[in-house]
Amino acid sequence: MKPLGISSDRCLIGGSWVAPQSGKVLDLINPSDGTVLCEIARGAEADIDAAVAAAEDALQGSWGKATAAERGRVLAHIGALVLENKDTLAELEAQDVGKPLKQASADVLALARYMEFYAGAADKLHGQTIPYLDGYTVYTLREPHGVTGHIIPWNYPMQIIGRSVGAALATGNACVLKPAEEACLTALAFAELANRAGLPPGAMNVVPGLGAEAGAALTAHPGVHHVSFTGSVGVGKLIQRAAADNIVPVTLELGGKSPQVVFEDADLEAALPFLVNAGIQNAGQTCSASSRILVQQNRYAEVVEAMANRYAKLRAGPALADLDVGPLVSNRQKDIVEGFLQKGADLEIAAQGQVIGDAPTGGAYVAPTLFAGVTPDHVLAQDEIFGPVQVVIPFADEDDAVAIANGTDFGLVASCWTQDGARQLRMAKRLRAGQVFLNNYGAGGGVELPFGGTGLSGHGREKGFEALYGFTTLKTVAAFHG
Ligand code: ADP
């Protein structure tokens, strides 16, 4: 497969397309119909070694010497090339991940926005001067870590590349990216466009492969100075442990069980589209999906009915049919989600959407499902499902709402729907989450908005200007001049 000039069965290392040293490949499956889309490289330790060495060379060469303004200019150029190729990128992502074309198109625009944002930010990260003892001048320098490792999942490849690689390149790091084995075509396309935009060879390397091989090799590599990971809690723990051996910082974004809290005075008409869309977007395979809807008791029946009416109209089908919901990324993921649906056999199904009749039988389709009458401690209200499944939970008052909202091991995103201004401010303080939304959910994606979690949702922040601090290390310079 060679869209945009990529070689899908190769790694991109040091600016060149190179076959994995083992010669091995993996099948990349199209989740809309279960067929093989193409072969991808099964990169492993030797390829990671080569990529880290290429990144180090870039740091010793022109990339390490580039000024902040020059780095920003390259990022701006990458963003422009992303926009020029937006239709091809959207189709690649839709086919690879199984996401409806309109979602894939939104993801391309987000990738371009990340490039634009970090292009503008590159030369605006300043140190400080610190008043000190007589005879001293003291200042701080923000310096890149060096080689940064980026291990990304399959659910939003372009958006996650944008937020993590964008901030890393803006601050002068050189990147080695390990995309997910389920979806890696836009990672390869991005690196190709970055090279065309003038990014020096080796500043951006991509090694596709299995997590336990290429991913583990990248995490454990002594030449990697920072690891950012987005994915499951289990793998996040492995990554933090491996990074401990090299004493390198990690940024972990590990998903959530994010609630929307609907108080009795909420504007339900405004809330409804957010209540449902935040659960079914990308077939629920979103770290910040809102999988729990908490509703004050006296409006509970009304909200369940209104959500159920929307669910009944949802249709799932192939990515390119561009319906409300696409397939899940794989039949493995479908099995996981169906396992959760079985665990909800004791619950009331308030409504289900439909998989369209002519959806290919090999596709990984699951009908969007809304459960009502759910208790806060039920496994469906506690575990991250990563599928188009939401639960609606009643609550009595504000204290009860806070206890339920904060009553999982996660803390990524939360939202609160109320017209009471004082309650909005109280809830923003009381909700345990890295992002809180008041009378909205997600704020349109928010490239500018720092993002990350607490508890099992991880630590560190990506997105926005804040990410630049995470991708740099601080040096204090104290000069004595008498
Ligand atoms: P999921 O279960 O949703 O696929 P994972 O956390 O397994 O999520 O995968 C996210 C990313 O982490 C993928 O790129 C995957 O290849 C990678 N990965 C999986 N296992 C490991 C590991 N042991 N070390 C490093 N990376 C891994």
Side-chain angles (χ1 to χ4, degrees):
M1 207 171 173
K2 291 199 175 291
L4 294 174
I6 67 172
S7 296
S8 62
D9 57 353
R10 296 186 169 218
C11 309
L12 199 143
I13 297 175
S16 305
W17 292 102
V18 292
Q21 295 192 25
S22 68
K24 291 184 183 165
V25 291
L26 298 164
D27 285 341
L28 190 71
I29 306 296
N30 178 351
S32 290
D33 58 15
T35 60
V36 176
L37 204 51
C38 63
E39 287 179 338
I40 59 165
R42 181 172 170 176
E45 194 175 344
D47 310 296
I48 292 291
D49 286 347
V52 172
E56 192 55 52
D57 284 351
L59 291 171
Q60 300 306 325
S62 64
W63 184 239
K65 295 183 183 64
T67 64
E70 286 165 348
R71 296 196 300 266
R73 200 172 294 132
V74 174
L75 285 174
H77 195 182
I78 300 174
L81 289 185
V82 166
L83 287 179
E84 259 176 43
N85 293 284
K86 63 181 184 337
D87 294 339
T88 314
L89 287 168
E91 257 184 58
L92 268 186
E93 192 87 317
Q95 285 179 286
D96 202 355
V97 181
K99 58 178 73 196
L101 205 47
K102 54 182 165 295
Q103 172 69 58
S105 302
D107 290 359
V108 182
L109 296 185
L111 173 59
R113 271 295 296 136
Y114 279 113
M115 294 303 117
E116 292 161 0
F117 180 86
Y118 286 117
D123 59 358
K124 292 168 191 69
L125 182 68
H126 302 154
Q128 295 175 314
T129 54
I130 301 175
Y132 194 55
L133 302 174
D134 187 32
Y136 280 86
T137 297
V138 180
Y139 58 95
T140 60
L141 296 171
R142 287 247 156 226
E143 298 183 334
H145 291 295
V147 177
T148 51
H150 305 257
I151 300 178
I152 65 162
W154 40 261
N155 58 342
Y156 288 88
M158 282 191 289
Q159 292 218 29
I160 296 172
I161 290 167
R163 75 187 193 201
S164 117
V165 168
L169 290 176
T171 43
N173 298 282
C175 305
V176 179
L177 172 68
K178 208 300 278 175
E181 48 273 41
E182 294 88 347
C184 63
L185 296 178
T186 52
L188 295 168
F190 173 82
E192 167 70 19
L193 293 178
N195 286 342
R196 283 190 209 169
L199 191 69
M204 169 82 230
N205 307 279
V206 183
V207 180
L210 297 174
E213 297 176 358
L218 179 58
T219 318
H221 201 293
V224 172
H225 308 110
H226 178 280
V227 179
S228 63
F229 170 75
T230 303
S232 62
V233 175
V235 175
K237 288 182 184 175
L238 292 178
I239 285 177
Q240 184 152 339
R241 281 192 202 111
D245 282 340
N246 295 325
I247 313 284
V248 296
V250 291
T251 302
L252 300 177
E253 200 269 89
L254 309 177
K257 195 70 191 170
S258 300
Q260 296 194 63
V261 182
V262 184
F263 283 97
E264 59 188 351
D265 66 340
D267 177 348
L268 192 54
E269 206 178 318
L272 251 186
F274 290 90
L275 297 183
V276 174
N277 291 347
I280 54 118
Q281 178 178 313
N282 209 37
Q285 304 165 117
T286 305
C287 307
S288 56
S290 177
S291 48
R292 293 186 297 152
I293 307 298
L294 280 47
V295 186
Q296 197 153 15
Q297 191 74 63
N298 53 357
R299 295 197 74 186
Y300 183 77
E302 182 191 351
V303 172
V304 170
E305 187 185 340
M307 288 184 72
N309 287 339
R310 285 187 168 244
Y311 258 76
K313 295 191 192 104
L314 294 175
R315 288 181 314 145
L320 297 182
D322 209 11
L323 305 174
D324 306 301
V325 177
L328 299 185
V329 73
S330 62
N331 280 305
R332 184 177 81 88
Q333 189 62 23
K334 178 183 169 182
D335 291 345
I336 293 172
V337 173
E338 286 183 344
F340 275 109
L341 293 179
Q342 278 160 20
K343 288 181 190 162
D346 57 324
L347 298 172
E348 171 202 340
I349 291 184
Q352 275 189 308
Q354 272 182 7
V355 179
I356 57 168
D358 53 356
T361 47
Y365 299 99
V366 170
T369 304
L370 180 71
F371 286 100
V374 184
T375 55
D377 56 349
H378 194 283
V379 62
L380 265 59
Q382 287 289 322
D383 288 13
E384 188 180 40
I385 298 172
F386 236 55
V389 181
Q390 287 178 293
V391 298
V392 197
I393 305 170
F395 69 83
D397 55 21
E398 189 175 309
D399 286 345
D400 193 27
V402 170
I404 297 171
N406 293 348
T408 74
D409 294 330
F410 296 98
L412 190 58
V413 171
S415 112
C416 170
W417 295 88
T418 175
Q419 308 206 38
D420 177 338
R423 172 177 277 157
Q424 290 170 11
L425 299 182
R426 274 198 309 277
M427 288 297 288
K429 283 193 174 172
R430 297 181 78 187
L431 288 167
R432 180 172 178 259
Q435 284 189 330
V436 173
F437 298 103
L438 300 172
N439 291 327
N440 76 96
Y441 193 90
V447 165
E448 300 86 345
L449 311 181
F451 178 69
T454 179
L456 287 192
S457 293
H459 52 76
R461 295 290 177 266
E462 289 191 327
K463 302 177 64 168
F465 203 82
E466 187 69 26
L468 303 179
Y469 298 110
F471 280 107
T472 51
T473 180
L474 192 75
K475 180 183 280 172
T476 304
V477 181
F480 179 68
H481 40 66

